Amino acid sequence: DQQVKQNSPSLSVQEGRISILNCDYTNSMFDYFLWYKKYPAEGPTFLISISSIKDKNEDGRFTVFLNKSAKHLSLHIVPSQPGDSAVYFCAASAISSGYSTLTFGKGTMLLVSP
Amino acid sequence: GAGVSQSPSNKVTEKGKDVELRCDPISGHTALYWYRQSLGQGLEFLIYFQGNSAPDKSGLPSDRFSAERTGGSVSTLTIQRTQQEDSAVYLCASSFPGLSTDTQYFGPGTRLTVL
């Protein structure tokens, strides 16, 4: 039973355009959401997060949107750059647990072409 | 400063053998997590340490899996009598102080292949 779902295994975008990566969750206890980026043969690196008290968080070219009623979040990358090509994982946790065991989606491979 | 390191980077073993995977967290990080990523899957939580104790072992898939942490630092994940389904990349992460909103820093992982 997948509690965090990334339904698009891959996404191709041209350099300079917007990349939109989507994520859905089923567990209503989740109240903290993160995006991690992973290059081959490296561990995931933290990108951006959002608490359930917000609906948007922005950091440079990266913006995460949260729609709690739909249990949906998305990561927008504008403008996309070839160096953004990587696997992006959506993750969620429950702040109420007091610690942060993350539940991850399966990832979306983003390819940004020049 | 130094990040999370894991060893070995690759491990090939025969079915039925025991393996030990090591994680060196970032110095001073009190929280340590083990995850694994099987082919085509997301990262799956295995166990969480706060200091040397493991308040959450709920992700360990069977009693063949165990982990310990000593000195609040290095952790080892042991898999006994390995099976082919144990083949995966095993990732370790650490954070300070271990609150739910802390950023977890991941190591590069150990790729385990069970023949």
Side-chain angles (χ1 to χ4, degrees):
Chain A
D1 176 31
Q2 265 196 288
Q3 298 186 64
V4 177
K5 300 178 185 178
Q6 294 177 258
N7 292 320
S8 298
S10 63
L11 175 67
S12 292
V13 171
Q14 279 194 316
E15 182 178 7
R17 306 295 287 266
I18 184 172
S19 295
I20 300 176
L21 296 98
N22 293 303
C23 177
D24 297 289
Y25 62 97
T26 57
N27 189 338
S28 56
M29 295 297 291
F30 290 149
D31 51 11
Y32 191 65
F33 306 90
L34 309 90
W35 286 92
Y36 276 79
K37 174 179 176 180
K38 186 181 184 302
Y39 293 116
E42 294 183 11
T45 55
F46 170 74
L47 196 55
I48 193 169
S49 63
I50 188 167
S51 159
S52 61
I53 61 173
K54 293 186 172 182
D55 55 17
K56 176 183 174 181
N57 189 27
E58 195 170 352
D59 184 2
R61 296 185 297 114
F62 303 90
T63 302
V64 56
F65 295 92
L66 175 63
N67 182 333
K68 277 185 62 180
S69 60
K71 293 192 176 66
H72 177 83
L73 63 154
S74 60
L75 174 68
H76 292 211
I77 307 174
V78 184
S80 302
Q81 299 173 354
D84 296 331
S85 297
V87 177
Y88 289 78
F89 289 98
C90 173
S93 70
I95 294 178
S96 57
S97 73
Y99 57 90
S100 177
T101 57
L102 300 174
T103 301
F104 284 84
K106 291 187 179 182
T108 296
M109 180 178 293
L110 174 65
L111 177 62
V112 181
S113 53
Chain B
V4 178
S5 60
Q6 293 186 245
S7 60
S9 54
N10 279 285
K11 176 73 177 177
V12 180
T13 190
E14 292 181 348
K15 179 181 170 181
K17 298 284 178 101
D18 298 351
V19 295
E20 272 193 5
L21 312 179
R22 177 186 169 108
C23 171
D24 279 276
I26 292 172
S27 178
H29 279 194
T30 55
L32 186 149
Y33 305 81
W34 283 97
Y35 296 87
R36 75 174 176 180
Q37 184 181 16
S38 303
L39 191 63
Q41 302 297 314
L43 282 75
E44 172 192 13
F45 165 75
L46 298 178
I47 186 169
Y48 155 67
F49 286 93
Q50 182 61 251
N52 291 337
S53 61
D56 190 347
K57 306 178 184 180
S58 63
L60 295 178
S62 76
D63 59 8
R64 296 186 295 105
F65 287 71
S66 63
E68 65 174 14
R69 190 178 184 196
T70 55
S73 181
V74 172
S75 176
T76 54
L77 176 69
T78 302
I79 310 173
Q80 295 179 308
R81 304 181 303 281
T82 52
Q83 304 294 312
Q84 288 182 333
E85 61 263 28
D86 300 334
S87 297
V89 176
Y90 289 81
L91 291 149
C92 172
S94 70
S95 69
F96 178 82
L99 299 178
S100 53
T101 54
D102 295 337
T103 297
Q104 292 186 26
Y105 296 88
F106 282 83
T110 293
R111 180 176 296 278
L112 175 66
T113 303
V114 182
L115 301 176

